[in-house]
Amino acid sequence: KQEVTQIPAALSVPEGENLVLNCSFTDSAIYNLQWFRQDPGKGLTSLLLIQSSQREQTSGRLNASLDKSSGRSTLYIAASQPGDSATYLCAVPWANYGGSQGNLIFGKGTKLSVKP
Amino acid sequence: NAGVTQTPKFRVLKTGQSMTLLCAQDMNHEYMYWYRQDPGMGLRLIHYSVGEGTTAKGEVPDGYNVSRLKKQNFLLGLESAAPSQTSVYFCASRGSGRYTDTQYFGPGTRLTVL
């Protein structure tokens, strides 16, 4: 069974700090890895998607890396701002669970708080 | 462009009542999904559809039914609601072409079953 784990479950940092969120998965048979952001009481917003053949993707202050062989991904946030406060989720479409049809297995998320 | 919309936003049911949640997308996406989000459990897939007229079971399908009569709509039904179905329900969609793996989520429906 594919398990997706995110560590830490919660993180509090001062504004301006660079930070790293971690995501690990137990089975490397994935098509891609996706990072989402969820604000309280809201839906999920896609941040970055890394195809299984890629090593990293960048969008503004966000950089996501993927090491399929070790089952790990990191989301790097540069110069954090209070507006970055949210829950960050990673998800993978697993080949043994309808992954080709986009069925996602989610981690439980990291709740980030950036203090002014 | 509204993206993915869900109706209703909130609902309170009594045990045994039925209801239908509506998901609509205006991006001409082939794939649509229903997830539930529970504290400590994360998001789990209930049912999904790979195109108009098709449906399939996800990880937690028991107690739910779905229909995809029109490409833009995906309905989630609860025939006899139970307290264990208290949750936040999210609908998502994605395209079917190359490099269209990103899923777009609706704002969610918060359902309480008493």
Side-chain angles (χ1 to χ4, degrees), chain A:
Chain A
K1 184 181 177 182
Q2 175 75 273
E3 292 185 2
V4 180
T5 304
Q6 292 186 247
I7 295 173
L11 182 63
S12 182
V13 300
E15 181 177 4
E17 191 163 298
N18 301 327
L19 59 99
V20 174
L21 306 181
N22 297 293
C23 173
S24 63
F25 46 94
T26 55
D27 192 316
S28 63
I30 62 171
Y31 292 92
N32 58 61
L33 187 140
Q34 302 182 33
W35 283 94
F36 293 89
R37 169 185 172 137
Q38 185 175 28
D39 293 291
K42 305 289 186 182
L44 280 68
T45 300
S46 178
L47 296 173
L48 288 165
L49 184 152
I50 312 174
Q51 298 291 349
S52 62
S53 59
Q54 296 176 319
R55 297 285 291 182
E56 66 178 61
Q57 277 285 342
T58 298
S59 176
R61 294 183 292 109
L62 305 180
N63 176 277
S65 68
L66 174 63
D67 185 341
K68 240 180 66 164
S69 60
S70 67
R72 293 179 182 176
S73 176
T74 61
L75 179 66
Y76 175 83
I77 302 177
S80 58
Q81 303 170 357
D84 295 330
S85 298
T87 297
Y88 291 80
L89 299 135
C90 68
V92 296
W94 183 35
N96 293 346
Y97 177 65
S100 62
Q101 295 160 326
N103 298 355
L104 293 176
I105 298 176
F106 281 86
K108 294 179 182 177
T110 293
K111 186 175 182 179
L112 174 65
S113 176
V114 181
K115 306 295 186 184

Side-chain angles (χ1 to χ4, degrees), chain B residues 31-81:
Chain B
Y31 294 83
M32 296 187 75
Y33 311 85
W34 276 108
Y35 296 90
R36 60 177 289 175
Q37 186 176 37
D38 303 290
M41 299 295 292
L43 278 124
R44 293 176 293 169
L45 183 66
I46 306 171
H47 285 281
Y48 64 100
S49 169
V50 302
E52 182 178 319
T54 74
T55 62
K57 294 180 180 179
E59 181 183 359
V60 289
D62 294 342
Y64 305 96
N65 56 76
V66 287
S67 64
R68 182 105 182 263
L69 299 180
K70 293 182 179 180
K71 186 177 183 178
Q72 64 268 34
N73 295 337
F74 195 27
L75 279 63
L76 178 71
L78 286 73
E79 290 184 345
S80 179

